[in-house]
Structures are given as structure tokens and as C-alpha cells.
Amino acid sequence: MDADVRLFVALYPPPEALDDIVAQTNRLRIGAAADAGINVRLAAPSTLHVTVAFLGEVPDDRLPTVEETLARAVEAWHHPPARRRRATTAASPAEQPGQHAERALSDVRTAPRLQLGGGGRFGRGRFTVLWVGLLGEVDALHRLGATVRRELRRSRLPFDFRPLRPHLTLARPGDRLDPESLAEDLRTLDGYLGPSWPATELVLMRSHLGPRPTYDRLAAWPL
């Protein structure tokens, strides 16, 4: 019987953005709690990511299909079908040679610029999760997510159908951080604004569950 692998598709911020949010987290009450030995389950900096699609358990013999599907999704995102059709139509008599091709080329999507900013919580009590949000060209990120999910559906691959809510999970404190400290951290995150960065690649990751989840990078495609 084939083994299953737990997969997700993600964007990873560059080191300067990660360094900035890690420094911000260390200044929060939750950072002080972690320093005091309270298990607020801060995310390791190397694991901070934006989930674009979560596939969950997939038979490992379908990994080639997953990679082919994501390659197709990135190509479709770069060159939307309607815009590809424009590129194949004849140029009008008024256009100079090369003008039509240049106009079509300008329609190709490029890496969206994003920025970590704001924040919030998911869940309550022992299910509390603290996160930082995404700003910038978030509409482009939603279009990318929609394209990835469409291609996963076409390949009959599993994925979480819940709407994309772009964020980075900072910690899973549950009820181990007092409500006043959590409220103060939420107010601080609300005013947070990190450096801007281009999302340059889409990454397929494998996750290993446990008290400290670990991730393996399986493949990537340039955006």
C-alpha cells in the first residue's frame, strides 16, 4: 500500500521580512512569556509561511501529478487564458510592427508585492492562534490561490475548500497567555507594518506533524 504524504502550497517571505516580524514578536507579551518558559508555541522563524492551498494527505505516488498540476497553475496564473487569446490576434493596420507583441507581453503577471502588517487571532481559549496579516497586492495573491485550487480540482487532488485568508501564524498560545496580555499584543500587531517584498516563488511543502512540526521543500516554481 502506498504511503500518504501531508502537503501544502506556500509562499515564503524573504529573510529581511522574517527578521522584522521575529523582532516584533520578541517585543510582544507573548515573546516575553516564551522567554519566561511558558509554552506559548512560538513558530520557528524557518517555518513562517503563507499557505496558498492545503492539500492534506495525498498518496505519495501522486506526487508527480501534484507537481505537474502546480506547474500548470503557475503558467495559467502568469498567462490568463483570455490574455493568451489577445496575444494571438492579428495587429491592426494602425499598429507598427512589434507593437501588438509588446502590448501582449505587458499583460503577463509578475510577482505580487506583499507586506506583513496588522494581525489577529483565530479561535478562543485553548484553541487561540496568533497571526500577522498580509498587505500590498493581496488581490493578486487571491487570484493565484484561486488558480491553484482550480487546477487541483481539475486533477482531482484533495484540498481544503475554505476561503484563502492570507496570514502567517506566529504562535499557538491556547489559554497559556492571559487575556490582558493577548489583548495588548493584538493592539500592538494592529499597528505593525513590515518591509515590502516580492513573492518570487510558489513552493510545494511536505509537513511532518508533532509537537514541533517540520517541513520539507519538495519543489518550487518562479512567480
Side-chain angles (χ1 to χ4, degrees):
M1 181 179 293
D2 293 317
D4 287 346
V5 288
R6 188 178 177 86
L7 304 176
F8 64 93
V9 183
L11 303 177
Y12 277 79
E16 59 269 22
L18 291 178
D19 289 346
D20 198 78
I21 188 57
V22 168
Q24 175 65 71
T25 303
N26 289 338
R27 292 191 291 267
L28 296 175
R29 300 284 185 88
I30 201 166
D35 289 341
I38 300 173
N39 183 20
V40 291
R41 296 181 62 188
L42 288 182
S46 62
T47 67
L48 291 173
H49 65 273
V50 181
T51 300
V52 175
F54 177 73
L55 282 70
E57 302 291 340
V58 177
D60 62 0
D61 64 351
R62 297 213 69 192
L63 271 175
T65 300
V66 174
E67 294 187 13
E68 291 166 7
T69 298
L70 294 177
R72 190 170 66 243
V74 170
E75 175 65 17
W77 181 79
H78 276 301
H79 305 281
R83 298 184 179 186
R84 281 203 299 269
R85 286 197 295 271
R86 282 183 57 194
T88 59
T89 58
S92 69
E95 289 179 321
Q96 296 298 316
Q99 279 186 335
H100 182 73
E102 290 173 2
R103 188 183 66 216
L105 182 63
S106 69
D107 287 339
V108 176
R109 290 175 178 157
T110 56
R113 290 201 69 85
L114 302 172
Q115 191 171 22
L116 300 180
R121 65 187 288 178
F122 295 138
R124 298 280 174 177
R126 63 193 182 94
F127 301 107
T128 299
V129 174
L130 192 67
W131 52 267
V132 62
L134 269 290
L135 303 172
E137 296 177 342
V138 178
D139 286 348
L141 178 54
H142 279 283
R143 287 193 294 269
L144 175 62
T147 304
V148 167
R149 292 163 187 233
R150 183 190 69 213
E151 296 302 328
L152 291 172
R153 187 181 300 109
R154 286 180 174 175
S155 295
R156 298 188 177 183
L157 289 163
F159 64 92
D160 188 343
F161 285 89
R162 286 178 293 183
L164 175 62
R165 298 182 64 179
H167 68 280
L168 269 72
T169 297
L170 297 178
R172 300 178 182 274
D175 54 7
R176 295 177 294 277
L177 188 69
D178 65 89
E180 293 78 12
S181 293
L182 180 62
E184 177 63 26
D185 282 355
L186 290 172
R187 286 191 292 270
T188 301
L189 281 175
D190 190 54
Y192 172 71
L193 194 62
S196 176
W197 46 278
T200 56
E201 62 178 7
L202 187 73
V203 187
L204 175 64
M205 301 295 294
R206 177 181 181 178
S207 65
H208 303 271
L209 297 179
R212 289 288 182 180
T214 59
Y215 306 136
D216 297 329
R217 178 185 171 107
L218 301 182
W221 297 267
L223 295 176

